[in-house]
Amino acid sequence: MNTAESASVEERRRRGRLGVGVIGAGRVGAVLGAALRAAEHAVVGVSAVSDASRERAENLLPGVPILEIPDIVERSELVLLAVPDDALEPLVSGLAKTGAWQAGQLVAHTSGRFGTEVLAPARAAGAIPLALHPAMTFTGMSLDLTRLADCSFGISAPAAVLPIAQALVVEMGAEPVVIDEADRVLYHAALAHASNHLVTLASQSTQLLAGLGVEHPDRLLGPLMRASLENALASGEGALTGPVARGDVGTVSAHTRVLAEAGTEDLRAAYAALSAATASRAVDRGLLTPQQGDAILAALRPDPENP
């Protein structure tokens, strides 16, 4: 680092601003880098390998140099690791073996699955570990920056530096939610179940409607799914409705039959599994009797004679 760069670093520190390096210009890394830049932190470098990631870096982080990972770590006061979960541990430990991590350097990752334990090799070198996971699905475009205002981050960090993690999230316009280290996997499973499986459900229902010749399935599904989601978030299982919650065995049996006849096994299996889960929860809440719940489960079998 030359004299001019050193002076620039010292000035940022006095102003409470950081030199940020982004490792991984995927949908998450590029957006969070842009959000930190909007909060007046200086993004000093970004790694981008694919053409898509280079394009994202150019669009969301214009003027930021695309650098090799060791160079980014060397220049940064905050290193943001926005890489796939399975790549995180090898990356952190590999950099530790080369002596890349610096004492006092902030190292944050964006994985939902991991807390700060995965950053142990960096922490052993004196770095400060942070886990900052945005509970949001990103497109990798500038419109994602506006979504951060309604977004929460699941954060984990040692108690002494937890305020740093909270402050960074607030600066990006989002809300920090503290997740215990031991609870990270279950936390992430809850989010994946809600978000990823919602996409699967919408895609499967769209497939059925398109197969019937409906030209714009989204116009049928959009208002229904949005209202269902809003009601569920507002009222929980009090919003539960439909044939399973009503104990309408005949309708559930008819659904099961036509889905089996349609040859869409993944869709039939998903319908059966979610209907069974719904029936169980409806019984627990007293919406159905145990006998009604058993009848629903029987109706979900494609061939009641061969369960």
Side-chain angles (χ1 to χ4, degrees), residues 12-284:
R12 287 197 302 268
R13 285 175 174 164
R14 283 198 297 269
R15 294 169 49 230
R17 302 298 86 189
L18 299 169
V20 179
V22 179
I23 297 180
R27 296 179 180 181
V28 176
V31 170
L32 297 191
L36 289 167
R37 195 183 202 186
E40 298 186 354
H41 295 289
V43 180
V44 297
V46 59
S47 70
V49 177
S50 69
D51 290 341
S53 63
R54 285 177 174 271
E55 183 177 355
R56 271 190 294 270
E58 291 170 0
N59 290 336
L60 287 167
L61 298 168
V64 174
I66 295 176
L67 304 172
E68 296 297 321
I69 290 175
D71 294 330
I72 292 174
V73 175
E74 181 182 1
R75 296 183 181 198
S76 303
E77 295 158 291
L78 166 62
V79 180
L80 185 66
L81 303 173
V83 298
D85 289 357
D86 289 347
L88 184 56
E89 191 281 329
L91 175 62
V92 175
S93 59
L95 287 167
K97 290 175 182 176
T98 66
W101 300 117
Q102 304 167 43
Q105 185 176 48
L106 296 168
V107 182
H109 71 72
T110 62
S111 169
R113 168 185 165 192
F114 294 110
T116 58
E117 183 59 33
V118 72
L119 300 175
R123 189 176 187 180
I128 299 169
L130 310 172
L132 311 175
H133 175 253
M136 177 57 65
T137 179
F138 291 108
T139 64
M141 296 185 288
S142 58
L143 63 88
D144 292 332
L145 292 169
T146 61
R147 290 178 173 172
L148 289 177
D150 294 323
C151 175
S152 294
F153 278 59
I155 65 170
S156 302
V161 295
L162 190 59
I164 297 176
Q166 293 169 319
L168 287 170
V169 170
V170 169
E171 284 185 328
M172 287 187 280
E175 179 181 353
V177 177
V178 179
I179 305 296
D180 287 344
E181 183 85 15
D183 295 335
R184 294 289 295 199
V185 175
L186 194 58
Y187 150 82
H188 192 231
L191 297 188
H193 186 46
S195 176
N196 303 153
H197 297 163
L198 181 64
V199 175
T200 300
L201 288 173
S203 298
Q204 289 179 330
S205 295
T206 296
Q207 175 187 341
L208 284 180
L209 292 173
L212 299 177
V214 176
E215 291 187 4
H216 301 287
D218 58 305
R219 295 181 185 175
L220 277 175
L221 293 173
L224 173 64
M225 293 187 72
R226 281 190 288 271
S228 296
L229 178 59
E230 289 171 1
N231 291 342
L233 293 175
S235 304
E237 290 180 347
L240 192 59
T241 184
V244 172
R246 293 192 298 266
D248 195 342
V249 175
T251 298
V252 173
S253 181
H255 289 176
T256 301
R257 174 178 52 79
V258 297
L259 290 174
E261 291 172 353
T264 53
E265 177 55 27
D266 72 311
L267 204 157
R268 185 207 64 77
Y271 178 91
L274 289 172
S275 295
T278 300
S280 175
R281 298 178 80 89
V283 169
D284 290 343

